[in-house]
Every structure is written in C-alpha cells, then in structure tokens.
C-alpha cells in the first residue's frame, strides 16, 4: 500500500494562474518526475481557481513515508523544492501525507 503526499498549491504573487499552470505542468513536472522512489505523480488544476482558493492540487505517491523523506533529501529533491519556490507561495496551502482508500473506481467502466 502506498502513501500519498497531497499539496494544495497557491501561486506566487506576480504570476497569473495561467503562467503558474504552464510552468508547473511543463518544466517543473519534467524535473519532479525524476524524484527517486516516486510511484505516481498527479497534477490537478481547478476549473475556477479564484473560487477554489488554490491554483492546483498535487498528488505524489510513494511506497512509505520514509521514501518521501528520502526523495526530498536527495539532490534532485532539493532541486525540485528550489524550483517550486520560484512559482509556488511555499507559506500558503496545506500539505498532507495520507493513506488513500479507493471506495469506488469506475473510470474504465
């Protein structure tokens, strides 16, 4: 069973929502995909970010909480965090580490 890190992201002042999304899902995603131990990487963009209060939802899946720590302590993990600080307001939005229980998955049906 995997654990999931969930971040509700808020863009830095001076960026439009569109600029934030373009960078986050482009150059930053290319870098973040390299995190060691990363099993699944999901970005979700709200249809109405002003109403949502957040610019994006990030989900990173790892085997366990130790793997999360190892990923972000690695050289690439440090690069990912430094890069995120360029477009994410790191003081805003909660971060959660959760056990995910899928109650229903009928996306293929």
């Amino acid at each position: 069973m995997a654990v999931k890190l969930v971040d509700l992201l808020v863009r830095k002042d001076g960026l439009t929502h569109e600029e934030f999304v373009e960078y986050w899902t482009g150059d930053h995603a290319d870098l973040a995909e390299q995190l060691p131990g990363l099993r699944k990487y999901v970005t979700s963009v709200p249809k109405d970010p002003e109403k949502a209060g957040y610019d994006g939802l990030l989900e990173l899946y790892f085997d366990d909480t130790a793997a999360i720590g190892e990923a972000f302590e690695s050289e690439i993990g440090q690069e990912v965090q430094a890069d995120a600080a360029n477009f994410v307001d790191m003081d805003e939005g909660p971060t959660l580490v959760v056990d995910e229980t899928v109650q229903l998955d009928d996306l293929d049906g």
Side-chain angles (χ1 to χ4, degrees), residues 6-23:
V6 179
D7 257 328
L8 293 170
L9 304 177
V10 176
R11 70 184 180 271
K12 280 188 103 159
D13 287 341
L15 290 177
T16 67
H17 173 73
E18 293 73 20
E19 290 169 334
F20 168 88
V21 170
E22 182 178 336
Y23 190 81

Side-chain angles (χ1 to χ4, degrees), residues 13-81:
D13 287 341
L15 290 177
T16 67
H17 173 73
E18 293 73 20
E19 290 169 334
F20 168 88
V21 170
E22 182 178 336
Y23 190 81
W24 178 43
T25 59
D27 291 344
H28 183 76
D30 293 342
L31 181 63
E33 287 173 3
Q34 300 173 49
L35 284 167
L38 184 61
R39 310 278 289 168
K40 183 176 177 181
Y41 176 24
V42 180
T43 57
S44 301
V45 177
K47 296 284 188 192
D48 186 347
E50 298 307 317
K51 198 176 230 182
Y54 299 99
D55 292 281
L57 173 74
L58 170 66
E59 298 171 279
L60 301 176
Y61 292 76
F62 293 89
D63 287 335
D64 52 38
T65 53
I68 295 172
E70 291 167 8
F72 286 101
E73 290 167 7
S74 71
E75 185 176 326
I76 193 74
Q78 296 296 314
E79 286 182 50
V80 166
Q81 291 177 85

